[in-house]
Amino acid sequence: LSQLAAHHLPGRRLVVISDEHVSAVVRHDLSVDRLTFPAGEASKTRAEWARLTDAMLALGFGRDAAVVAVGGGVTADLAGFVAATFMRGIPVLQVPTSLLAMLDAALGGKTGLDLPAGKNLVGAFHQPAAVLVDPLVLATLPEPEYRHALAEAVKHAAVADAAHFDWLERHADAVLAREPAEVEQMIRRSLEIKADIVEADEFECGRRAVLNAGHTVAHAIEAASAYRVSHGAAVAVGLVTEARLGERLGLTAPGTATAIAELLQRFGLPTQLPTELAPEDLLAFMRADKKRRDAQLRFTFVARLGAVAGDQRTGWTHVVTEESLLTVLGRR
Ligand SMILES: NC(=O)c1ccc[n+]([C@@H]2O[C@H](COP(=O)([O-])OP(=O)(O)OC[C@H]3O[C@@H](n4cnc5c(N)ncnc54)[C@H](O)[C@@H]3O)[C@@H](O)[C@H]2O)c1
């Protein structure tokens, strides 16, 4: 890591930011100042951002500094936002250590914090100088963290690459067993897919919305369950539910929802809405969420495996009525 960091951030004074847990289990050879914060989503706050930036000032860091974010998605977002804002912005090297951060959070430049009113409500686009992935650090990642991230790999394949979807089906057992070659191949393809989409639409004005597939329903499940359902599990259910909705609206090829559900099940992920979450409650959270964006409920639909419904001309999202949504949410 020290050589790669020197290569990507020449002449910079580096600070490594990690959560306490990653700092204890993930080893690297960067002998620079290290700042840590308590592991978990609860640290993605303004208070933690203030503490980290104060600590950097106290250590004498200036405009020639750079951040090396070593950790999961929380570190990617929090340390990325520190870098985006410290001295009006210094470079960040993203070194993801959780599968979710490797597949998703470390790439694309979105950084930010949670507020009491909701997740990711303060943030900035701040592209990393580089993203360095070493899949071998996944050896210590707890099984649920690993499995739940696989929902994002399924999402990437479903929206952009039918051949990769097919590859995931054929290599599901090897992926679950964390076979290094298959894990690396899976991460590489996800990163290529995400990079391709983000390059076309860095600031999420259009095509980047396809990466939200499954996420409208997922966010409602997370919120309605008071975050007892993990993000990955919620995305898995969201992908299947939204594909069913797309099939109902004639935007998604019949059988797509079942194919997505079968692959998610092989990864041990849920595909049915939790029975204790009432359709009306889920809808209420989607309504509250949409108020922050525009007046309508909008979804990105998988048209068939590897392709989304929509294009540059017609747009990437589709307005959905509450009636059709309620029908699908009510089907358990
Ligand atoms: N910016 C983006 O584009 C983007 C995309 C997706 C998710 N996110 C954000 O990512 C966050 C979730 O990420 P996450 O699931 O990685 O959470 P996380 O960073 O909290 O990591 C999960 C847990 O795994 C531990 N861990 C990480 N790497 C490990 C390793 N190699 N060995 C052992 N333990 C390890 C962490 O200490 C933590 O306890 C959310 O806040 C979400 O909003 C951001």
Side-chain angles (χ1 to χ4, degrees):
L1 182 59
S2 62
Q3 281 179 17
L4 288 164
H7 174 76
H8 290 287
L9 302 166
R12 295 269 167 182
R13 186 177 161 205
L14 306 180
V15 57
V16 172
I17 301 183
S18 298
D19 72 36
E20 283 160 6
H21 182 204
V22 166
S23 178
V25 295
V26 176
R27 284 180 300 132
H28 60 77
D29 66 348
L30 262 181
S31 47
V32 298
D33 284 306
R34 296 180 183 208
L35 295 176
T36 60
F37 60 88
E41 185 74 25
S43 284
K44 240 175 79 175
T45 57
R46 290 178 288 206
E48 216 45 61
W49 168 84
R51 206 184 54 78
L52 290 168
T53 45
D54 284 347
M56 283 176 66
L57 278 179
L59 288 166
F61 281 96
R63 299 190 64 169
D64 64 343
V67 171
V68 182
V70 180
V74 167
T75 304
D77 280 2
L78 175 62
F81 189 63
V82 166
T85 48
F86 188 76
M87 303 278 162
R88 297 200 182 86
I90 56 174
V92 61
L93 190 68
Q94 290 284 359
V95 186
T97 63
S98 72
L99 183 60
L100 184 69
M102 290 181 186
L103 291 170
D104 197 4
L107 184 87
K110 284 191 188 177
T111 71
L113 309 173
D114 300 336
L115 302 191
K119 278 186 54 144
N120 301 323
L121 292 181
V122 164
F125 287 99
H126 189 57
Q127 293 297 339
V131 180
L132 302 179
V133 177
D134 179 357
L136 293 182
V137 303
L138 293 172
T140 51
L141 190 72
E143 183 65 14
E145 304 284 350
Y146 183 82
R147 270 179 196 255
H148 288 164
L150 293 172
E152 300 290 349
V154 173
K155 178 195 77 181
H156 286 142
V159 301
D161 187 351
H164 184 53
F165 195 94
D166 184 57
W167 184 93
L168 285 171
E169 283 175 333
R170 282 184 286 115
H171 297 88
D173 292 337
V175 164
L176 274 177
R178 307 194 199 186
E179 297 289 348
E182 280 77 7
V183 173
E184 184 172 332
Q185 167 71 12
M186 172 181 69
I187 295 168
R188 185 184 301 279
R189 192 64 201 116
S190 261
L191 288 175
E192 285 167 355
I193 289 168
K194 183 162 181 188
D196 188 46
I197 292 169
V198 172
E199 259 171 37
D201 176 24
E202 183 175 354
F203 300 109
E204 200 164 5
C205 306
R207 190 176 163 209
R208 193 163 176 171
V210 310
L211 294 172
N212 293 333
H215 281 60
T216 306
V217 169
H219 289 150
I221 293 172
E222 288 181 275
S225 72
Y227 292 90
R228 274 187 297 275
V229 178
S230 80
H231 180 67
V235 169
V237 176
L239 281 172
V240 176
T241 308
E242 293 185 17
R244 290 220 173 93
L245 179 62
E247 288 185 20
R248 190 184 152 77
L249 298 172
L251 291 163
T252 302
T256 307
T258 302
I260 293 173
E262 283 172 2
L263 180 53
L264 291 165
Q265 281 158 5
R266 286 198 62 194
F267 288 143
L269 288 161
T271 55
Q272 301 269 351
L273 284 160
T275 43
E276 67 275 15
L277 301 183
E280 292 74 19
D281 291 344
L282 292 168
L283 186 61
F285 279 104
M286 288 185 226
R287 271 197 215 111
D289 201 31
K290 100 192 164 187
K291 260 197 230 135
R292 299 206 185 100
R293 297 157 208 267
D294 63 27
Q296 288 162 320
L297 277 174
R298 290 181 165 275
F299 288 80
T300 306
F301 289 108
V302 175
R304 57 183 185 285
L305 290 178
V308 291
D311 57 34
Q312 203 63 43
R313 194 178 50 80
T314 59
W316 304 96
T317 58
H318 302 262
V319 175
V320 172
T321 64
E322 294 194 351
E323 291 71 33
S324 39
L325 187 55
L326 270 177
T327 310
V328 172
L329 292 176
R331 249 181 42 193
R332 307 287 161 113

